[in-house]
Each structure stands twice: as C-alpha cells, then as structure tokens.
Amino acid sequence: MASTQRFGAGIWHFATYVDRYATDGYGEPRSVIDAIDLAGQVRDLSVVDLNYPFFGGDFTNEQVKTALDRNGLGVIGITPEIYTRVFAKGAFTNPDHGVRRLAHDLVTEACDVVRSFGADYVKLWPGQDGWDYPFQVDYGELWQASMDGVGQLADENPDLRFVVEYKPREPRVHMSYSSVARTLLGIEKIGLPNIGILLDFGHALFGGEAPSDSAQLAIDYGRLFGMDVNDNLRGWDDDMVAGTVHPIELLEFFYTLRKNNWEGVWQLDQFPFREDSVEAADAAIDFLKACDRALDKMDMDAMREAQARHDAMGALRIAQQALFSSY
C-alpha cells in the first residue's frame, strides 16, 4: 500500500545564508518566489512553512500564492520574524512596551496571512526572548511576559492554532522557551486549547533531550501540534540533513509518533549552507520515506515485548533490521 505520509520544509531551506565569517553569503540572495520555485523541484514535497514578512522583495499574498500554485505546494505554517534586530532585547519579553507591541502586531498580521493561505498554524519562535548574564533580568517577570505574549495572541485568535518552537539557546544564551518541559509548563499555565509545541528534533538533541521522550511528553499533554526534523552533533543547532548523524534516534522519533497515532506533516528544518538545497531536501525525504517503510515492516509486538523487558539489544536489533532493509 502506498504511503499517505506528507512531507514539508521551511522555505528558508531554499534561501541563501550568511554567518559571521562568510558575511557576503553562501550564494546570491534569493527572494521567497525564487525559494518557492526551488522547493517545487523537490520530489514528494507537499507544503512549506513561510517566513513573514516575505523575504527578498515586497510581495503580496496573491503573488506568493501564484508561485505556490505553479509548484503544486501548500502552506503548513507562517513564521513571523520576531527575532530580528528590532527585537534584539526580546519580542514578548522586551523591556520596552512599544517593542512588545510591535511583536504583537507583527504576529497579528501573520494570523491574517495564515487565514489567507489556509495554513495549519502560526509558528512562534521567540529566539530573542531570554537573557545572557547573571542578574540581567528578573526571572519571574521575564517568564510571565513570555506567557502573557503568547497567551494574549491565542486568546485574541481562538480560530487559529499557535505552536511554540523551543530551543535551549541561540541567539540568546538562555532562551525563555528552552526545553519541552519548560514550554509545557508555560502552555499549561496559560491554559488555552489552541497553543501547542512545534518539536524540532535537532533542538531536542541540542538540549540534551531524547527527542522521542520529548515527543511522548508533548503527546501525553495533547500539545504536539507540529514537528521539524534535521540533525546535528548535539553541541550546536547545526541543522544538518535529517538522518545523517542520528538515524536510529530519528527512527525512534517516528516510531513514537506512529505508536501514538500522531498524524501530521514530517517537515524539514535544514540549512544546507554549502550543499545544493534541492539535493539536500531530496536526500532527507528519501531517508524519511525509508523510516516510513521501516515502521511498516517493524514487528511492533516484538518491539513492545523487548521494551517491556528493557531489552536494549533486542529492541535495537528489531529497529536496525527494519531500517537497514528499507532504504
């Protein structure tokens, strides 16, 4: 039976990048339209997550929709850029009320873009919310501001879903939404049904978590609204091609999703600085499809029995046989 699993990617996967060394960039700048046309060349890609405002020019929703249509792509989410220079001291946690209002207004605009494209969610990645030094902030006030910013938006837009993408650090040394547990605590305290987690596999690795355990925890609370996959060496958020470093842990992540009947897009959040972006996406999706096939052939009863005995070698043998015979 053919798989019905859908695959997506952040549109930034098809942009060009700068870092603090190659400040002239790894390639010529691209607009969002250019990036969508590249995304359309990827095999088996169904949806993209779009940054807002759209990069590389002054584009309307209609112009972006035209580009998406000609490439057969839909939109899963809109990511408002609440992490740029104007928000250097924070978006929801900025000490300046006017800047906090700018963040709120930008996300509110993004809500209308979500409605325009019929997307699944507004993705909140408040990368500048947090602190860097001891004594820099009042932790209680900062955490309350983090929750208030998200909660107000969710309350004002009950027809939409909001996902919070947590990350331990970068750009802030300590980010407010830094772990699955801390993010769940905040969401549960806010107490609104339309706020969930966007679980980035690489962020969980980077934070010292077991991504499968993080997924299970979010699912147990009914808060896993979306996910991204990539890979890294655990020391930094490298955003490498999915499955290139931690293939078994990535298979376990998807195993956890299937075991819990979690259905959603398997989405790429990769930054192929030096690689061809289409080739990198194809390679990742090929691996994700192999994981999907592996789950189809995995002996689930035997896996449950091995796990009931805490039999590490037996469970790994089942997982490895399924994966390595499916690629």
Side-chain angles (χ1 to χ4, degrees):
M1 182 181 297
S3 174
T4 60
Q5 181 59 53
R6 293 195 304 154
F7 304 101
I11 199 62
W12 49 89
H13 182 289
F14 305 97
T16 54
Y17 318 104
V18 299
D19 60 24
R20 63 190 181 126
Y21 299 101
T23 56
D24 54 342
Y26 290 85
E28 294 300 316
R30 293 175 186 151
S31 72
V32 66
I33 304 299
D34 298 329
I36 290 169
D37 286 336
L38 279 175
Q41 299 177 32
V42 178
R43 300 189 305 271
D44 302 307
L45 194 68
S46 298
V47 293
V48 291
D49 182 333
L50 298 176
N51 304 94
Y52 181 80
F54 306 125
F55 60 86
D58 186 14
F59 300 106
T60 65
N61 291 353
E62 291 71 25
Q63 288 172 311
V64 172
K65 181 69 162 56
T66 297
L68 291 165
D69 287 346
R70 71 168 171 262
N71 286 285
L73 296 170
V75 178
I76 186 172
I78 300 294
T79 301
E81 294 189 336
I82 54 172
Y83 40 80
T84 53
R85 182 170 59 186
V86 68
F87 304 113
K89 287 192 174 182
F92 303 133
T93 64
N94 199 290
D96 185 327
H97 175 76
V99 177
R100 295 199 301 274
R101 170 54 62 178
L102 282 175
H104 175 274
D105 290 349
L106 179 57
V107 178
T108 300
E109 289 180 25
C111 290
D112 286 335
V113 180
V114 167
R115 294 183 182 102
S116 175
F117 286 107
D120 289 3
Y121 50 69
V122 182
K123 188 176 80 179
L124 301 176
W125 184 67
Q128 301 286 8
D129 283 1
W131 70 95
D132 304 310
Y133 292 94
F135 286 101
Q136 184 175 7
V137 300
D138 180 304
Y139 299 117
E141 290 181 0
L142 190 88
W143 184 228
Q144 189 63 54
S146 299
M147 293 185 289
D148 289 346
V150 175
Q152 181 181 354
L153 287 158
D155 186 55
E156 292 171 350
N157 299 275
D159 59 314
L160 299 181
R161 298 208 302 174
F162 292 80
V163 297
V164 179
E165 181 177 4
Y166 70 87
K167 183 179 178 181
R169 58 190 181 278
E170 192 210 13
R172 295 312 288 254
V173 175
H174 298 275
M175 286 176 57
S176 290
Y177 291 103
S178 58
S179 68
V180 66
R182 185 178 177 91
T183 305
L184 278 172
L185 280 171
I187 291 172
E188 291 301 304
K189 187 168 185 179
I190 295 168
L192 294 174
N194 59 330
I195 309 174
I197 284 179
L198 186 294
L199 203 165
D200 183 297
F201 180 85
H203 292 179
L205 288 175
F206 177 32
E209 300 174 359
S212 298
D213 175 57
S214 302
Q216 186 65 62
L217 191 61
I219 289 170
D220 287 344
Y221 281 84
R223 298 292 188 176
L224 186 61
F225 286 8
M227 49 82 79
D228 285 339
V229 293
N230 44 48
D231 218 329
N232 62 50
L233 299 174
R234 290 191 184 268
W236 196 248
D237 184 31
D238 302 304
D239 283 324
M240 297 164 69
V241 172
T244 54
V245 184
H246 295 95
I248 291 295
E249 285 180 90
L250 187 54
L251 176 63
E252 184 190 31
F253 180 74
F254 292 130
Y255 167 80
T256 300
L257 299 183
R258 180 173 292 195
K259 182 179 69 172
N260 287 277
N261 298 312
W262 188 90
E263 295 182 358
V265 172
W266 292 5
Q267 181 158 270
L268 306 178
D269 182 5
Q270 304 179 158
F271 279 70
F273 282 80
R274 300 166 185 82
E275 289 69 44
D276 177 272
S277 58
V278 173
E279 183 181 10
D282 279 335
I285 291 176
D286 283 346
F287 183 77
L288 267 53
K289 291 168 70 177
C291 288
D292 195 31
R293 291 190 295 269
L295 294 174
D296 286 339
K297 67 167 57 177
M298 186 181 292
D299 188 333
M300 296 296 187
D301 289 336
M303 178 62 77
R304 282 189 289 270
E305 291 172 5
Q307 290 181 336
R309 299 190 303 272
H310 294 195
D311 180 359
M313 296 299 101
L316 279 168
R317 187 179 308 111
I318 295 166
Q320 290 167 342
Q321 288 175 347
L323 178 59
F324 296 151
S325 63
S326 298
Y327 202 75

